[in-house]
C-alpha cells in the first residue's frame, strides 16, 4: 500500500474537513438535541460532490476512490457522526450495489441522481428475526408477470424515512437457503412501501433508523439486481465496503474524543497544575493517539485493497472491529478525563460516548467481525 495520499485524496479530505469545521460543528450539537435530519448539510454535501465520491464521473459522481471516501467520512464524523453515517449508508449501502451489481440501464437511471444527492439511498437487509443471521430472510418476493410482489418487514434501516431508493433483499426461493435471496432496487414512493416508525436511539440521533414494511409492494422485474438468488452475495460484498465507511466513522469519533481531551487537559487545572502535566492523563492520551492512527491505517488499507479490486472482506472486518472498539475506548477515556463535566451535556464527549457505541453494533457486530476474521485466518493458516 502506498501510504502517500494522492493530490485528489488530500483535496477531498481537506474540502470535507473545512466543511465539517465551518458547517457541521453546530449541526452536530443541534441535531443531537432535536433529532432532526440535517437536510441543509446533506444538500450542501451533494453540491460538493461528497455523495458520489467513488461513483465514476460517467454516472455523475466525483470519480474518486474508496481511500478518498474513507477520509471524507472520517472528517464529517469528527464533527457530526450522524452526518457521517447518513453519507456512508447512502454511498456504501445505497449506491454501491447499483454500481457493483447493477446493469448499465440501472446505473444510468439511478446513479446520477444519487451522486448529486437528489435521491438518497438506504439498504434493507436486517429483519426483526434476521440481524446477525442475515441469511434468515423472511421477506418474500413472488414473481407476477413483469413484477415481483414483496411482503415483509425490515428493521433499523438507516436513512429509511428519507431515502428515495432502497436496496431491498427478499426471498424468491425460500427452500434454497441463502441461494434463494434476491436483491432489488426499489423506489420508495411506490405504493406498499411503508415507513412504520423511527427508533428512539441512544446516539446518532439525526441518522434515522426506521422499521419498514412492504405490503403487496410491486417492484418491476427490471429492478432485480443481478440474477435471482444472487442477493446474499450482493449483500455481503456491499457490507465489505460498508464496513470501511463505519470504520472511518469510528475513526472520526475517536479522533474527536482525543482532540477534545487534549484541549481539556491543557485548560483544566487540578491541584494547581493542568491535567496534561499528570502521567495518568498523559498515558491515556498516548494510548488514544496510537489507537486512532492504527484504526485509520487499517481503514485505509481496506479501502486501498477495494480500490485495487482485491478481496477486502477480512481487512474491512478488521478495520471495522478495531476502529469501533477504539472509538468506544477513546470516548470512554474522554469522559473520564473530563470527570464530572464529561458526564454532562456541557461538553461534547458525552455525545461521542453515545455515538461511538453503535459502531460496535451496526453493519455487523464486533462478534460478527471476529467470526469473519477468524474464518479467514483459520482457512489461511
Ligand atoms: N463476499 C462475497 N460472498 C460472500 C462473502 C463476501 N464478503 N461472505 C460470504 N459470502 C458467500 C460465501 O462464499 C457463501 O457462498 P456459497 O454458499 O455460494 O459458497 C455464502 O455467502 C454464505 O457464506 P457463509 O456460510 O459464510 O454465510 P453465513 O450464513 O454463515 O453468514 C455472516 C455469514 C458473516 C454471519 C453474515 O451473515 C453476516 O455478515 N452477518 C451480519 C450481517 C450484517 O452485517 N448486518 C448489518 C446490516 S446493515 C445495517 O446495519 C443497517 C444499516 O442501515 C446501517
Amino acid at each position: 500500500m502506498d501510504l502517500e495520499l494522492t493530490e485528489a485524496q488530500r483535496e477531498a479530505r481537506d474540502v470535507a474537513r473545512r466543511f465539517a469545521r465551518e458547517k457541521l460543528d453546530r449541526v452536530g450539537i443541534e441535531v443531537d438535541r432535536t433529532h432532526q435530519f440535517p437536510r441543509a448539510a446533506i444538500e450542501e454535501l451533494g453540491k460538493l460532490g461528497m455523495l458520489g465520491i467513488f461513483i465514476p464521473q460517467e454516472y455523475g459522481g466525483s470519480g474518486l476512490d474508496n481511500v478518498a471516501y474513507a477520509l471524507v467520512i472520517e472528517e464529517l464524523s469528527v464533527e457530526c457522526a450522524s452526518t457521517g453515517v447518513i453519507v456512508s449508508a447512502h454511498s456504501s449501502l445505497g449506491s454501491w450495489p447499483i454500481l457493483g451489481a447493477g446493469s448499465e440501464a440501472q446505473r444510468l437511471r439511478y446513479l446520477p441522481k444519487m451522486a448529486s444527492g437528489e435521491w438518497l439511498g438506504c439498504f434493507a437487509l436486517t429483519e426483526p428475526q434476521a440481524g446477525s443471521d442475515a441469511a434468515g430472510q423472511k421477506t418474500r418476493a413472488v414473481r407476477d408477470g413483469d413484477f415481483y410482489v414483496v411482503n415483509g418487514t425490515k428493521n433499523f434501516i438507516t436513512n429509511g424515512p428519507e431515502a428515495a431508493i432502497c436496496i431491498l433483499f427478499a426471498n424468491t426461493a425460500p427452500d434454497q437457503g441463502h441461494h434463494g435471496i434476491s436483491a432489488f432496487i426499489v423506489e420508495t414512493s411506490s405504493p406498499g412501501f411503508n415507513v412504520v416508525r423511527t427508533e428512539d436511539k441512544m446516539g446518532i440521533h439525526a441518522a434515522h433508523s426506521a422499521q419498514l414494511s412492504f405490503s403487496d409492494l410491486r417492484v418491476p422485474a427490471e429492478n432485480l439486481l443481478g440474477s435471482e438468488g444472487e442477493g446474499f452475495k450482493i449483500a455481503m460484498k456491499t457490507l465489505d465496503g460498508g464496513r470501511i465507511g463505519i470504520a472511518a466513522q469510528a475513526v472520526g469519533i475517536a479522533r474527536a474524543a482525543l482532540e477534545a481531551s487534549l484541549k481539556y487537559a491543557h485548560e483544566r487545572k487540578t491541584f494547581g497544575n493542568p491535567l496534561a502535566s499528570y502521567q495518568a492523563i498523559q498515558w491515556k492520551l498516548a494510548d488514544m493517539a496510537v489507537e486512532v492512527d492504527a484504526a485509520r491505517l487499517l481503514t485505509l488499507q481496506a479501502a486501498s485493497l477495494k480500490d485495487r479490486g482485491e478481496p477486502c472482506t477480512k481487512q474491512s472486518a478488521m478495520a471495522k472491529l478495531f476502529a469501533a472498539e477504539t472509538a468506544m475506548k477513546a470516548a470512554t477515556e474522554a469522559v473520564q478525563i473530563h470527570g464530572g463535566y464529561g458526564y454532562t451535556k456541557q461538553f461534547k464527549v458525552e455525545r461521542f460516548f453515545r455515538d461511538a457505541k453503535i459502531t460496535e453494533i451496526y453493519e455487523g457486530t464486533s462478534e460478527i467481525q471476529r467470526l469473519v476474521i477468524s474464518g479467514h485466518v483459520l482457512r489461511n493458516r
Side-chain angles (χ1 to χ4, degrees), residues 93 123 125-126 131-135 156-158 178-179 232-233 236-237 239-240 243 313 362-364 368 371-372:
L93 303 185
F123 177 85
L125 177 69
T126 302
S132 292
D133 180 11
F156 307 129
I157 308 306
T158 308
H178 67 260
H179 291 292
F232 190 72
K233 280 198 182 161
M236 292 297 113
K237 278 193 199 159
L239 286 167
D240 286 346
R243 288 167 185 164
T313 304
Y362 57 19
E363 297 200 34
I368 288 294
L371 210 68
V372 171

Side-chain angles (χ1 to χ4, degrees), residues 100-126:
S103 65
E104 188 60 9
Q106 289 170 339
R107 289 170 169 192
L108 288 169
R109 172 160 171 77
Y110 292 108
L111 292 179
K113 286 193 170 146
M114 296 182 85
S116 70
E118 189 179 337
W119 286 350
L120 269 192
C122 72
F123 177 85
L125 177 69
T126 302

Side-chain angles (χ1 to χ4, degrees), residues 2 22 48 111 197 305-306 316 320 325 359 374 378 380:
D2 188 353
E22 286 170 11
L48 288 171
L111 292 179
R197 63 161 192 271
L305 283 171
K306 188 161 168 60
S316 70
K320 201 245 180 208
E325 294 193 347
T359 65
S374 61
L378 284 166
N380 299 328

Side-chain angles (χ1 to χ4, degrees), residues 54-84:
F54 53 69
I55 295 179
Q57 287 175 341
E58 62 198 283
Y59 304 118
S62 298
L64 296 174
D65 52 19
N66 285 279
V67 168
Y69 167 66
L71 293 165
V72 165
I73 298 293
E74 175 186 332
E75 294 303 330
L76 302 181
S77 303
V78 169
E79 300 298 347
C80 179
S82 289
T83 301

